[in-house]
Short mmCIF file of all heavy atoms in Angstrom, two decimals:
data_model
loop_
_atom_site.label_atom_id
_atom_site.label_comp_id
_atom_site.label_asym_id
_atom_site.label_seq_id
_atom_site.Cartn_x
_atom_site.Cartn_y
_atom_site.Cartn_z
N SER A 5 -48.57 -21.76 36.30
CA SER A 5 -48.45 -21.83 34.84
C SER A 5 -47.11 -22.45 34.46
O SER A 5 -46.09 -22.20 35.12
CB SER A 5 -48.55 -20.43 34.22
OG SER A 5 -49.77 -19.84 34.56
N ARG A 15 -30.69 -22.31 21.75
CA ARG A 15 -30.03 -23.61 21.82
C ARG A 15 -29.10 -23.82 20.63
O ARG A 15 -27.96 -24.27 20.79
CB ARG A 15 -31.09 -24.72 21.86
CG ARG A 15 -30.50 -26.13 21.90
CD ARG A 15 -31.59 -27.16 22.10
NE ARG A 15 -32.60 -27.05 21.06
CZ ARG A 15 -33.74 -27.76 21.06
NH1 ARG A 15 -34.00 -28.58 22.06
NH2 ARG A 15 -34.61 -27.63 20.07
N PRO A 43 7.18 -17.24 0.98
CA PRO A 43 7.39 -16.73 -0.38
C PRO A 43 6.04 -16.38 -1.02
O PRO A 43 5.04 -17.05 -0.79
CB PRO A 43 8.07 -17.90 -1.10
CG PRO A 43 8.68 -18.71 0.00
CD PRO A 43 7.76 -18.58 1.17
N LEU A 58 14.01 5.47 -14.43
CA LEU A 58 13.58 4.21 -13.83
C LEU A 58 12.12 3.91 -14.15
O LEU A 58 11.25 4.78 -14.03
CB LEU A 58 13.76 4.28 -12.31
CG LEU A 58 13.20 3.11 -11.50
CD1 LEU A 58 14.01 1.84 -11.76
CD2 LEU A 58 13.17 3.45 -10.01
N GLU A 67 -6.96 -12.42 -6.10
CA GLU A 67 -7.86 -13.51 -6.47
C GLU A 67 -8.00 -13.61 -7.97
O GLU A 67 -8.51 -12.71 -8.63
CB GLU A 67 -9.24 -13.28 -5.84
CG GLU A 67 -10.19 -14.46 -5.97
CD GLU A 67 -9.74 -15.66 -5.14
OE1 GLU A 67 -9.09 -15.45 -4.11
OE2 GLU A 67 -10.05 -16.78 -5.56
N GLN A 71 -2.53 -7.95 -9.25
CA GLN A 71 -2.67 -6.51 -9.15
C GLN A 71 -1.27 -5.95 -9.35
O GLN A 71 -0.32 -6.38 -8.68
CB GLN A 71 -3.23 -6.04 -7.82
CG GLN A 71 -3.40 -4.52 -7.78
CD GLN A 71 -4.13 -4.03 -6.54
OE1 GLN A 71 -3.65 -4.23 -5.44
NE2 GLN A 71 -5.28 -3.41 -6.73
N GLU A 96 -2.40 -5.74 -20.31
CA GLU A 96 -3.39 -4.92 -19.62
C GLU A 96 -3.07 -3.43 -19.73
O GLU A 96 -1.90 -3.03 -19.62
CB GLU A 96 -3.43 -5.29 -18.13
CG GLU A 96 -3.88 -6.71 -17.86
CD GLU A 96 -5.32 -6.97 -18.28
OE1 GLU A 96 -6.10 -6.00 -18.39
OE2 GLU A 96 -5.66 -8.16 -18.49
N PRO A 97 -4.09 -2.59 -19.97
CA PRO A 97 -3.88 -1.14 -19.90
C PRO A 97 -3.71 -0.70 -18.46
O PRO A 97 -4.22 -1.33 -17.53
CB PRO A 97 -5.18 -0.58 -20.50
CG PRO A 97 -6.21 -1.63 -20.20
CD PRO A 97 -5.49 -2.95 -20.28
N SER A 116 2.87 -9.48 -20.38
CA SER A 116 3.69 -10.61 -19.93
C SER A 116 4.56 -11.11 -21.07
O SER A 116 4.34 -10.78 -22.23
CB SER A 116 2.78 -11.74 -19.43
OG SER A 116 2.02 -12.28 -20.51
N PRO A 120 9.02 -15.85 -17.19
CA PRO A 120 8.34 -15.32 -16.00
C PRO A 120 9.15 -14.28 -15.24
O PRO A 120 8.61 -13.62 -14.35
CB PRO A 120 8.12 -16.58 -15.14
CG PRO A 120 9.16 -17.55 -15.60
CD PRO A 120 9.34 -17.28 -17.07
N ALA A 125 6.77 -3.05 -20.80
CA ALA A 125 5.89 -1.92 -20.53
C ALA A 125 5.95 -0.95 -21.70
O ALA A 125 7.04 -0.49 -22.07
CB ALA A 125 6.32 -1.21 -19.24
N ARG A 129 5.81 8.70 -24.52
CA ARG A 129 6.93 9.60 -24.23
C ARG A 129 6.43 10.84 -23.51
O ARG A 129 5.32 11.30 -23.72
CB ARG A 129 7.64 10.00 -25.52
CG ARG A 129 8.36 8.84 -26.21
CD ARG A 129 9.15 9.33 -27.40
NE ARG A 129 9.83 8.22 -28.08
CZ ARG A 129 10.61 8.39 -29.14
NH1 ARG A 129 10.80 9.61 -29.66
NH2 ARG A 129 11.19 7.33 -29.71
N THR A 153 -7.63 -14.85 11.58
CA THR A 153 -8.26 -15.24 12.83
C THR A 153 -9.77 -15.34 12.62
O THR A 153 -10.33 -14.80 11.67
CB THR A 153 -7.99 -14.23 13.96
OG1 THR A 153 -8.52 -12.95 13.58
CG2 THR A 153 -6.51 -14.10 14.23
N LYS A 164 -11.12 -12.45 10.09
CA LYS A 164 -10.34 -11.25 9.84
C LYS A 164 -9.00 -11.69 9.28
O LYS A 164 -8.32 -12.53 9.89
CB LYS A 164 -10.13 -10.44 11.13
CG LYS A 164 -11.40 -9.87 11.73
CD LYS A 164 -11.08 -9.06 12.97
CE LYS A 164 -12.33 -8.42 13.55
NZ LYS A 164 -12.02 -7.58 14.74
N ARG A 178 23.89 -6.04 6.00
CA ARG A 178 23.31 -5.89 7.33
C ARG A 178 22.17 -4.87 7.31
O ARG A 178 21.14 -5.06 7.98
CB ARG A 178 24.39 -5.46 8.32
CG ARG A 178 23.85 -5.22 9.74
CD ARG A 178 24.94 -4.77 10.69
NE ARG A 178 25.95 -5.82 10.87
CZ ARG A 178 26.98 -5.70 11.71
NH1 ARG A 178 27.16 -4.57 12.39
NH2 ARG A 178 27.85 -6.68 11.83
N ALA A 182 18.28 -5.76 8.09
CA ALA A 182 17.57 -5.05 9.16
C ALA A 182 16.25 -4.50 8.65
O ALA A 182 15.24 -4.49 9.38
CB ALA A 182 18.44 -3.92 9.71
N ASN A 184 14.43 -5.87 6.24
CA ASN A 184 13.54 -7.03 6.17
C ASN A 184 12.89 -7.30 7.53
O ASN A 184 11.68 -7.52 7.63
CB ASN A 184 14.31 -8.27 5.72
CG ASN A 184 14.59 -8.29 4.23
OD1 ASN A 184 13.86 -7.71 3.44
ND2 ASN A 184 15.67 -8.96 3.85
N GLU A 186 12.47 -5.22 10.00
CA GLU A 186 11.58 -4.13 10.41
C GLU A 186 10.24 -4.21 9.67
O GLU A 186 9.18 -3.95 10.26
CB GLU A 186 12.24 -2.79 10.15
CG GLU A 186 11.41 -1.58 10.57
CD GLU A 186 11.05 -1.57 12.04
OE1 GLU A 186 11.84 -2.11 12.86
OE2 GLU A 186 9.99 -1.01 12.39
N THR A 199 -6.54 -7.86 13.58
CA THR A 199 -7.25 -9.11 13.84
C THR A 199 -7.61 -9.30 15.31
O THR A 199 -7.98 -10.40 15.72
CB THR A 199 -6.40 -10.31 13.37
OG1 THR A 199 -5.15 -10.32 14.09
CG2 THR A 199 -6.12 -10.22 11.88
N VAL A 217 -24.79 -10.54 7.55
CA VAL A 217 -24.76 -10.42 6.09
C VAL A 217 -23.32 -10.33 5.60
O VAL A 217 -22.94 -10.97 4.62
CB VAL A 217 -25.58 -9.20 5.63
CG1 VAL A 217 -25.50 -9.03 4.11
CG2 VAL A 217 -27.03 -9.33 6.06
N THR A 234 23.08 1.62 -0.46
CA THR A 234 23.80 1.05 0.68
C THR A 234 23.48 1.79 1.98
O THR A 234 23.78 1.28 3.06
CB THR A 234 25.31 1.12 0.44
OG1 THR A 234 25.69 2.49 0.17
CG2 THR A 234 25.71 0.24 -0.73
N TYR A 244 -5.33 -1.22 1.74
CA TYR A 244 -6.78 -1.18 1.53
C TYR A 244 -7.44 -2.08 2.57
O TYR A 244 -7.05 -3.23 2.73
CB TYR A 244 -7.15 -1.66 0.13
CG TYR A 244 -8.60 -1.45 -0.23
CD1 TYR A 244 -9.02 -0.24 -0.77
CD2 TYR A 244 -9.54 -2.45 -0.04
CE1 TYR A 244 -10.35 -0.03 -1.10
CE2 TYR A 244 -10.87 -2.26 -0.38
CZ TYR A 244 -11.26 -1.05 -0.90
OH TYR A 244 -12.59 -0.84 -1.23
N GLY A 258 4.46 6.56 3.09
CA GLY A 258 5.88 6.46 2.81
C GLY A 258 6.61 5.93 4.04
O GLY A 258 6.40 6.42 5.16
N ASN A 260 10.54 5.09 5.26
CA ASN A 260 11.91 5.38 4.84
C ASN A 260 12.90 4.98 5.92
O ASN A 260 12.66 5.16 7.12
CB ASN A 260 12.04 6.89 4.56
CG ASN A 260 10.99 7.37 3.57
OD1 ASN A 260 11.14 7.21 2.38
ND2 ASN A 260 9.90 7.95 4.09
N ARG A 290 4.96 25.02 -2.13
CA ARG A 290 5.48 24.40 -3.35
C ARG A 290 4.59 23.23 -3.80
O ARG A 290 4.47 22.98 -5.00
CB ARG A 290 6.92 23.95 -3.12
CG ARG A 290 7.83 25.12 -2.78
CD ARG A 290 9.29 24.73 -2.63
NE ARG A 290 10.06 25.84 -2.08
CZ ARG A 290 11.38 25.92 -2.10
NH1 ARG A 290 12.10 24.94 -2.61
NH2 ARG A 290 12.00 26.97 -1.58
N ALA A 305 -5.72 22.82 -4.60
CA ALA A 305 -4.42 23.46 -4.36
C ALA A 305 -4.48 24.36 -3.14
O ALA A 305 -3.54 24.40 -2.33
CB ALA A 305 -3.99 24.24 -5.60
N THR A 307 -6.45 24.01 -0.55
CA THR A 307 -6.54 23.18 0.65
C THR A 307 -5.16 22.67 1.06
O THR A 307 -4.87 22.52 2.26
CB THR A 307 -7.49 22.00 0.41
OG1 THR A 307 -8.76 22.50 -0.01
CG2 THR A 307 -7.67 21.17 1.67
N ARG A 356 19.35 19.89 3.80
CA ARG A 356 20.59 19.92 4.56
C ARG A 356 21.76 19.49 3.67
O ARG A 356 21.56 18.88 2.61
CB ARG A 356 20.52 18.94 5.74
CG ARG A 356 19.52 19.27 6.84
CD ARG A 356 19.48 18.12 7.83
NE ARG A 356 18.50 18.32 8.88
CZ ARG A 356 18.79 18.70 10.11
NH1 ARG A 356 20.06 18.93 10.45
NH2 ARG A 356 17.85 18.84 11.02
N ALA A 362 22.56 14.17 2.95
CA ALA A 362 23.81 14.07 2.20
C ALA A 362 23.93 12.72 1.49
O ALA A 362 24.77 12.56 0.61
CB ALA A 362 24.99 14.25 3.15
#
Side-chain angles (χ1 to χ4, degrees):
S5 301
R15 179 174 57 186
L58 172 69
E67 189 68 29
Q71 182 172 62
E96 296 296 338
S116 66
R129 293 186 181 181
T153 61
K164 296 182 177 182
R178 178 181 295 183
N184 283 333
E186 181 59 30
T199 60
V217 177
T234 56
Y244 189 86
N260 307 279
R290 299 184 190 195
T307 304
R356 294 174 183 258

